[in-house]
Amino acid sequence: MFSCTNPDQIEGLNWLVCYLSTAKHMAFYQSFVVVLSLVLITAPLALLFGLMAASASRSAIAVMRWPAKIYIAMVRGVPDIVFFLFVPLALDQGIEYIRHRALCSDQTGSVWQGNDFIVCDIAKMPLSSASAWAHDFYGFMLAVTAYAIVFGAFAGNVLAGAMAAVPHAQLETGSAFGMSRRQVYWRVLFPQMWIYALPGLSNLWVLLIKATPLLFLLGIQDIVYWARELGSAKTSAYTYPHPDWRVWYFLALLIFYLFVTWVSERVFDRLNRRFSRGQAVLMNSQQAGG
Amino acid sequence: MSSCLNAFQDYGLRAIGYGERLLPKADITICEQFALIGSGLIWNIFFGVLAIVIGYWFALALAVGKMSGSGWLCGFSVGFIYLFRGTPLFIQFFFAYELFVLLPKVGITLDLWVVTIDLETRWLTRAWLGALLVLILNTSAYSAEIFYGALRSTPRGEVEAAMAYGMSGWQRFWRVLWPHMMRLAWPSYTNEAIFLFHATTLVFFSGFPAWRQSGDALYYANYFADKTFNPFIAYPIIAFYFIIFTLMIIVLFSWINRRLNRHLPQHAKQRLSIRLNVIR
């Protein structure tokens, strides 16, 4: 066994092992967990948003239908990156504005003064006295919201398409049996649509994974941040001097994403086979026909 | 009103190096934001159009390669498509930039018998070439997968009929397979074009430096949002521009779609509907 106390005296593989287990590298490995947790938290939220939007877009009430339709359509026209930059900032300012109005009602001036956004100290989110951990968590939650909104709109597209794909005759049969609209929705449409939605949803899952490096744009210390930080050239003033290694760090990230998408693809393939059992969809007839 | 005209004169072409050198710093007007973000859009269109046009031919080659089913060409195509579709574009940009930086600055001289080509590798670290290259390769992989799917669903009878007519492999491809593939692939390819156009906004956030603050639309929108601390003006402006241009892409592509389907009987014609079932 060797120790890492004198890095300049060790060489080769031992040096590499020591180098890869510094405190900063541990933070780098933790950021992979952050990325995966973002995906795992966002996916169900986005599915919920999408489900609500897709259901509302079929509503008979115009006030419910049109906002849902606009929400679903927005990701077709505007790049998702714009939302990732806009939503966290807008949310943050919105929250601070409301707190400012509620907590410091004595200040009547506009919060936008020149090129600044000024709220009183006790309206800050999180409070400037809060720990660094609270700041990180708040930033992460803003990012989760932004991702959930954007991917909720994507999921809304997929689910609206899937609801439209459920054979109309089945819904009519439901109402012929005397079911109410609500009953038709929950007993016929809802259970039937998933098989039509699955290919689109699996694609969305991969899309969500591939969108995670954009966390870097939101100022979160994610894997891209650490790859740049750790990979940049270190002079001999550092414990572990090395030339510019960023290209290797990014190569490692590419391999990581390749692996995650590969695993997801296999899981969804299996799910798709499981769910389409006994369904009259194209895949089965192809299998039956050879 | 005249000050608004001034803003467009000063900043309308700022993104490609003409007009006012300094970006607006204080007292930023809405007109200045409209002008500068609009000028940044030139870069998005540059990247989008060139990547789609060049990437189309490369994607075609890749799809045919994957279709061939065996040999090194097939292996290369499958690997290439898998690599570029399985990793985020954002990381591809970063990786490519760091790779280009490492290339020798002097340039490589290719002696091609008749002509010699000086490849100036230093241009690769600039966004207009380096990022364009990444975008071309990226869209090629996605388009190739779309084309491959369309090629696979060509009815066997059509190819057999072409063989019976004594067409060579080359003729079979260009007269039978290719038109059929285009028709089937077009709706998905429209989606790809839209999302590639949207993806061009990543370029200046991904390592490639904006030389003399000449960036794309999102670069300027982000600049304004940072400067004014007010996201409610700059981002809606860029959203407005992108909606307009997305609609233009849809109009153009559905016109092509109509031409591709013009020989079909009326009831078999399909209107181009932009469904987002499978995106990128």
Side-chain angles (χ1 to χ4, degrees):
Chain A
M1 205 50 207
F2 54 94
S3 78
C4 295
T5 41
N6 285 322
D8 41 335
Q9 282 167 19
I10 48 179
E11 275 176 358
L13 198 63
N14 290 357
W15 185 88
L16 197 65
V17 170
C18 285
Y19 171 69
L20 289 178
S21 54
T22 56
K24 279 196 167 179
H25 272 88
M26 290 301 158
F28 177 48
Y29 306 140
Q30 269 174 23
S31 63
F32 283 91
V33 180
V34 171
V35 164
L36 291 176
S37 58
L38 174 94
V39 174
L40 292 178
I41 297 171
T42 308
L45 265 182
L47 196 60
L48 188 71
F49 281 20
L51 202 56
M52 290 197 308
S55 307
S57 73
R58 293 170 68 88
S59 162
I61 309 159
V63 191
M64 300 226 343
R65 194 168 61 235
W66 284 105
K69 286 199 166 178
I70 291 170
Y71 170 64
I72 286 178
M74 76 183 189
V75 285
R76 302 180 189 200
V78 183
D80 49 356
I81 309 137
V82 173
F83 290 108
F84 292 143
L85 290 175
F86 171 76
V87 172
L89 196 55
L91 261 182
D92 183 41
Q93 289 196 351
I95 292 171
E96 288 194 345
Y97 178 79
I98 292 169
R99 282 171 62 92
H100 177 77
R101 281 280 166 267
L103 297 173
C104 317
S105 46
D106 49 320
Q107 294 184 20
T108 48
S110 169
V111 287
W112 278 289
Q113 292 174 14
N115 284 348
D116 283 313
F117 179 81
I118 300 166
V119 291
C120 58
D121 281 338
I122 52 166
K124 288 256 166 60
M125 261 308 267
L127 292 172
S128 44
S129 58
S131 62
W133 182 86
H135 281 270
D136 285 349
F137 183 73
Y138 180 65
F140 182 75
M141 288 327 284
L142 287 181
V144 165
T145 316
Y147 274 74
I149 289 175
V150 169
F151 281 90
F154 278 126
N157 274 297
V158 170
L159 293 175
M163 286 178 182
V166 174
H168 212 254
Q170 296 194 7
L171 307 183
E172 281 165 1
T173 311
S175 23
F177 268 108
M179 290 187 196
S180 66
R181 274 181 76 94
R182 178 181 296 246
Q183 281 173 325
V184 169
Y185 178 86
W186 284 113
R187 295 188 188 174
V188 184
L189 188 68
F190 190 78
Q192 282 281 68
M193 70 177 191
W194 294 104
I195 181 60
Y196 299 100
L198 200 61
L201 289 181
S202 68
N203 179 249
L204 263 188
W205 169 262
V206 178
L207 200 70
L208 174 63
I209 289 170
K210 286 191 286 185
T212 49
L214 299 176
L215 272 178
F216 173 68
L217 298 182
L218 308 182
I220 288 172
Q221 298 193 349
D222 74 329
I223 49 182
V224 178
Y225 169 86
W226 283 113
R228 279 162 65 101
E229 178 80 14
L230 294 167
S232 59
K234 299 282 187 293
T235 59
S236 51
Y238 287 84
T239 335
Y240 296 93
H242 62 76
D244 193 343
W245 280 355
R246 273 179 293 189
V247 71
W248 299 111
Y249 279 89
F250 283 119
L251 189 65
L253 293 194
L254 285 180
I255 293 169
F256 166 72
Y257 278 107
L258 218 49
F259 176 72
V260 175
T261 46
W262 178 74
V263 170
S264 321
E265 243 170 50
R266 298 199 57 146
V267 170
F268 272 105
D269 261 3
R270 193 161 281 193
L271 272 183
N272 205 8
R273 230 169 290 153
R274 167 74 54 85
F275 278 117
S276 52
R277 215 174 269 170
Q279 292 269 357
V281 290
L282 197 60
M283 212 183 78
N284 281 348
S285 58
Q286 273 171 352
Q287 274 173 355
Chain B
M1 193 59 219
S2 68
S3 72
C4 201
L5 209 62
N6 275 340
F8 272 89
Q9 276 171 351
D10 287 346
Y11 295 115
L13 294 173
R14 174 63 179 74
I16 47 172
Y18 295 101
E20 197 68 29
R21 189 74 177 272
L22 293 170
L23 298 186
K25 285 223 163 57
D27 301 324
I28 297 168
T29 64
I30 288 191
C31 283
E32 283 171 332
Q33 302 204 17
F34 254 105
L36 206 48
I37 293 172
S39 88
L41 212 60
I42 297 171
W43 279 112
N44 295 109
I45 295 166
F46 167 85
F47 285 126
V49 169
L50 281 184
I52 281 290
V53 169
I54 301 171
Y56 174 82
W57 299 103
F58 190 38
L60 209 55
L62 284 171
V64 173
K66 189 170 176 178
M67 199 63 194
S68 68
S70 63
W72 64 270
L73 196 65
C74 176
F76 171 79
S77 304
V78 170
F80 182 92
I81 293 172
Y82 198 77
L83 188 69
F84 275 89
R85 290 184 76 233
T87 53
L89 176 63
F90 198 49
I91 308 278
Q92 289 167 18
F93 275 133
F94 274 116
F95 177 73
Y97 179 72
E98 302 301 340
L99 200 65
F100 294 152
V101 169
L102 291 182
L103 291 177
K105 293 269 188 306
V106 283
I108 305 160
T109 308
L110 276 185
D111 204 351
L112 286 180
W113 207 16
V114 197
V115 283
T116 53
I117 301 172
D118 286 308
L119 287 177
E120 296 251 5
T121 47
R122 71 196 167 94
W123 294 113
L124 280 172
T125 58
R126 291 277 175 76
W128 71 265
L129 184 59
L132 179 62
L133 201 64
V134 177
L135 280 170
I136 290 172
L137 298 180
N138 186 275
T139 189
S140 297
Y142 284 99
S143 313
E145 189 63 25
I146 295 171
F147 293 162
Y148 170 73
L151 278 179
R152 272 214 324 183
S153 42
T154 311
R156 184 176 286 273
E158 294 200 8
V159 183
E160 280 167 359
M163 280 174 166
Y165 270 110
M167 287 189 191
S168 68
W170 192 252
Q171 282 174 325
R172 270 207 307 279
F173 179 75
W174 286 114
R175 294 191 189 172
V176 180
L177 276 171
W178 182 64
H180 200 97
M181 178 207 86
M182 286 287 282
R183 209 163 57 73
L184 287 183
W186 203 251
S188 311
Y189 191 60
T190 308
N191 250 340
E192 166 59 20
I194 291 170
F195 283 99
L196 176 84
F197 180 55
H198 289 183
T200 57
T201 50
L202 271 179
V203 170
F204 290 100
F205 288 94
S206 60
F208 289 97
W211 193 56
R212 286 189 186 153
Q213 291 185 306
S214 305
D216 76 327
L218 191 58
Y219 173 82
Y220 289 124
N222 187 242
Y223 169 85
F224 285 127
D226 279 354
K227 270 275 176 298
T228 61
F229 236 89
N230 183 353
F232 297 99
I233 296 174
Y235 290 128
I237 290 176
I238 189 176
F240 165 78
Y241 276 126
F242 266 92
I243 289 170
I244 300 281
F245 272 86
T246 306
L247 288 177
M248 281 165 66
I249 294 176
I250 292 175
V251 168
L252 176 73
F253 274 67
S254 37
W255 178 74
I256 298 174
N257 188 54
R258 272 201 305 280
R259 274 195 68 79
L260 288 171
N261 286 310
R262 69 189 186 281
H263 61 286
L264 292 180
Q266 199 63 40
H267 61 83
K269 275 184 188 166
Q270 278 200 329
R271 272 193 64 235
L272 183 70
S273 61
I274 310 299
R275 279 201 210 94
L276 285 180
N277 256 342
V278 175
I279 331 142
R280 295 224 65 163

